[in-house]
C-alpha cells in the first residue's frame, strides 16, 4: 500500500473535522479580517455579511476539492469575482481585499492543523493537503485581483460618464432632480440654494 493510500483516510478525517468546525472557522476568519482598519472603518452595513459569505465559499472550494481529489478551477471562484466588485463599491482597497483573502486562508490552514491534532498520520495527511490549499490561495488571489481591477476600471469609466453627462445637463440648463447626478452635485457642494458664478 502506497503512502498516498495510507494518507487518504487521514485526509478524509481532517476534511470531516474541518467541515464540522466550518461555522467557527468562518467566524474566526471574519474576526481576523476585521482587525484591518479598512474593514473596521467601513460604513457599509453589509460588508461583514459579504466577507463571511466569501470566506465560507472559499473554504468550501478547498473542502470540495479535497473530497473530490481535484484542484480548484477558475470557475469555482464566481463569488470571488462578485465580492471583488462589491469591495470596490465598499471602498476597500485591492491590497486590503487581498490581505483579507490571505488571512482567511491562514485561518483555514490553522483549522486543518487543529483537525490533525497530535496524530502523526493525520499530521502527515495535513502536510499532503498543503499543495492543494496553496493552489486555492494562488488561484483565488489571482481571480480576486483580476476581478477587482476590472471592477475598478468599470467604476472609473462609469464615474467619468456620469460627470460628463452631468456637465452636459448643466450646460443645457437641465437640473438633475434625483439619482447619481444629484449625488455628484451634493458631493461637489452644489445644491438648490448654492450661489456660484460660472465663467466661460
Amino acid at each position: 500500500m502506497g503512502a498516498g493510500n495510507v494518507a487518504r483516510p487521514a485526509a478524509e478525517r481532517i476534511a470531516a473535522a474541518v467541515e464540522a468546525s466550518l461555522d467557527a472557522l468562518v467566524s474566526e476568519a471574519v474576526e481576523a479580517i476585521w482587525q484591518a482598519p479598512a474593514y473596521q472603518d467601513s460604513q457599509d452595513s453589509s460588508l461583514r455579511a459579504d466577507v463571511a459569505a466569501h470566506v465560507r465559499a472559499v473554504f468550501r472550494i478547498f473542502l470540495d476539492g479535497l473530497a473530490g481529489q481535484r484542484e480548484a478551477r477558475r470557475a469555482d471562484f464566481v463569488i470571488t469575482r462578485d465580492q471583488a466588485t462589491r469591495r470596490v463599491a465598499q471602498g476597500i482597497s485591492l491590497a486590503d481585499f487581498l490581505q483579507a483573502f490571505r488571512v482567511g486562508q491562514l485561518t483555514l490552514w490553522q483549522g486543518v492543523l487543529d483537525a490533525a491534532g497530535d496524530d502523526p498520520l493525520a499530521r502527515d495527511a495535513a502536510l499532503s493537503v498543503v499543495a492543494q490549499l496553496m493552489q486555492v490561495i494562488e488561484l483565488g488571489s489571482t481571480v480576486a485581483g483580476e476581478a477587482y481591477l476590472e471592477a475598478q476600471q468599470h467604476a472609473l469609466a462609469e464615474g467619468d460618464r456620469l460627470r460628463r453627462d452631468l456637465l452636459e445637463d448643466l450646460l443645457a440648463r437641465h437640473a438633475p432632480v434625483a439619482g447619481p447626478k444629484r449625488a455628484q452635485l451634493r458631493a461637489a457642494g452644489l445644491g438648490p440654494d448654492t450661489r456660484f458664478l460660472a465663467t466661460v
Side-chain angles (χ1 to χ4, degrees), residues 71-89:
E71 288 189 346
R73 300 171 293 220
R74 280 183 166 270
D76 295 330
F77 291 94
V78 172
I79 190 170
T80 296
R81 295 190 66 76
D82 177 59
Q83 291 294 317
T85 301
R86 293 180 67 80
R87 291 307 172 278
V88 170

Side-chain angles (χ1 to χ4, degrees), residues 36-74:
Y39 286 84
Q40 286 178 14
D41 299 341
S42 174
Q43 301 300 309
D44 190 315
S45 61
S46 64
L47 180 59
R48 195 173 190 98
D50 284 348
V51 170
H54 188 217
V55 167
R56 181 178 297 280
V58 174
F59 286 10
R60 171 91 6 240
I61 291 167
F62 169 72
L63 287 171
D64 290 349
L66 197 57
Q69 299 184 54
R70 67 165 183 82
E71 288 189 346
R73 300 171 293 220
R74 280 183 166 270

